[in-house]
């Protein structure tokens, strides 16, 4: 599966704490137009269950943890997001599901485009059809 990548961010730390900086064209390899965060997710809930047609995203668990499942129509991978110094870059047609959120989980998402409902695919069968079109 090559539509995703883990990016390691440099953490600037000293004995007072840590800081990570995100820069477009630097450690974030696209021009992001939008940042949003997912938090206060209720116990045992799952989120996502969609794919994007054109959107690029970097997803970072700035607090707590969750499991992020990626599916490209052929293979499925699960990535544990539990480290603010690590970003999950998704740049292609990938079905996403998120689960096992810790109470303190805050997922920050940098997105290459403004919110556009027409970029979403919410039906898994429609997603696999789109994957096959692109082959
Ligand atoms: P949704 O995509 O359903 O989130 P999830 O799949 O994680 O449950 O988004 C929830 C609501 O927020 C929905 O009404 C659309 C709105 N929303 C925006 O207005 N802007 C955004 O950038 C995003 C991601 C969602």
């Amino acid at each position: 599966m090559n539509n995703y990548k883990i990016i390691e961010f440099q953490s600037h730390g000293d004995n007072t704490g840590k800081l990570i900086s995100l820069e477009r064209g630097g450690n974030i390899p696209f021009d992001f137009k939008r940042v949003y965060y997912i938090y206060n997710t209720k116990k045992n809930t799952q989120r996502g269950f969609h794919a994007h047609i054109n959107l690029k995203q970097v997803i970072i668990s700035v607090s707590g943890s969750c499991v992020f499942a990626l599916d490209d129509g052929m293979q499925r991978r699960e990535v544990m997001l539990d480290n603010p110094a690590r970003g999950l870059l998704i740049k292609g047609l990938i079905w996403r599901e998120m689960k096992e959120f810790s109470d303190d989980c805050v997922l920050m998402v940098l997105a290459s485009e403004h919110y556009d409902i027409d970029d979403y695919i919410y039906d898994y069968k429609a997603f696999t059809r789109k994957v096959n079109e692109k082959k």
Side-chain angles (χ1 to χ4, degrees):
M1 201 191 289
N2 55 11
N3 287 346
Y4 83 97
K5 195 176 136 185
I6 303 292
I7 306 174
E8 303 283 344
F9 303 124
Q10 190 190 350
S11 177
H12 305 274
D14 60 20
N15 55 9
T16 66
K18 293 184 177 175
L19 181 152
I20 289 171
S21 162
L22 306 174
E23 296 196 0
R24 65 178 148 212
N27 52 5
I28 304 297
F30 55 83
D31 287 349
F32 45 94
K33 292 200 180 120
R34 175 166 58 111
V35 177
Y36 61 92
Y37 34 96
I38 297 170
Y39 67 105
N40 231 348
T41 304
K42 301 294 173 249
K43 267 241 168 306
N44 302 319
T45 43
Q46 300 195 1
R47 302 186 67 153
F49 295 92
H50 63 257
H52 284 284
I53 300 166
N54 285 315
L55 194 69
K56 296 190 194 83
Q57 291 176 310
V58 169
I59 300 139
I60 305 159
S61 180
V62 292
S63 165
S65 63
C66 78
V67 173
F68 201 105
L70 306 122
D71 176 342
D72 69 357
M74 269 100 39
Q75 291 177 300
R76 191 179 161 93
R77 297 274 162 81
E78 289 196 349
V79 177
M80 177 69 137
L81 295 179
D82 60 357
N83 185 341
R86 201 170 288 149
L88 170 63
L89 168 67
I90 305 179
K91 53 185 177 177
L93 200 56
I94 295 262
W95 182 263
R96 307 117 153 94
E97 295 171 14
M98 290 157 269
K99 60 184 179 183
E100 295 172 35
F101 287 85
S102 65
D103 287 342
D104 58 347
C105 184
V106 181
L107 271 194
M108 185 169 75
V109 184
L110 283 67
S112 62
E113 306 299 333
H114 292 144
Y115 180 67
D116 175 10
I117 192 68
D118 294 334
D119 190 62
Y120 281 72
I121 304 174
Y122 279 109
D123 176 60
Y124 189 81
K125 280 202 176 132
F127 160 70
T128 53
R129 274 199 300 275
K130 192 88 183 164
V131 168
N132 287 320
E133 269 170 33
K134 290 217 165 184
K135 267 189 198 162

